[in-house]
Amino acid sequence: MSIIDEALSTNATIAQDYDSSRGKPPAPKIAIVTCADPRLTSIERMLGLAEGDVDMIRNFGTVIDDDAVWSRCSRTRRPSLVT
């Protein structure tokens, strides 16, 4: 089975248990600026947070300035920064 076939099969399985109440727009409570490395996964789980509670900002490169952070974090209720 190809990786695409596996992804489609997994999606079909997950879709069976779809909860429409989760279809609301996200309401992030915290913004996290982190590396864009795709190997860095499950950050929310490591911090004990639900996926919808996090505004994840993946940064390419090693520098991000305050203006970029706060413009992206403005929709969070209480912006916090974890680097």
Side-chain angles (χ1 to χ4, degrees), residues 50-80:
E51 289 180 19
D53 291 344
V54 176
D55 186 4
M56 189 69 64
I57 302 168
R58 300 278 183 172
N59 182 29
F60 291 91
T62 58
V63 177
I64 187 164
D65 63 10
D66 290 341
D67 291 336
V69 171
W70 291 112
S71 67
R72 293 289 306 267
C73 297
S74 63
R75 68 177 193 235
T76 61
R77 282 192 257 156
R78 194 174 101 189
S80 300

Side-chain angles (χ1 to χ4, degrees), residues 6-17:
E6 284 183 47
L8 292 173
S9 176
T10 301
N11 181 261
T13 301
I14 291 171
Q16 291 173 2
D17 296 326

Side-chain angles (χ1 to χ4, degrees), residues 2 19-20 23 28 32 34 36 42 44 58 64 71 73 78-79 83:
S2 75
D19 179 4
S20 61
I32 298 173
T34 187
S42 305
E44 299 93 342
R58 300 278 183 172
I64 187 164
S71 67
C73 297
R78 194 174 101 189
T83 58

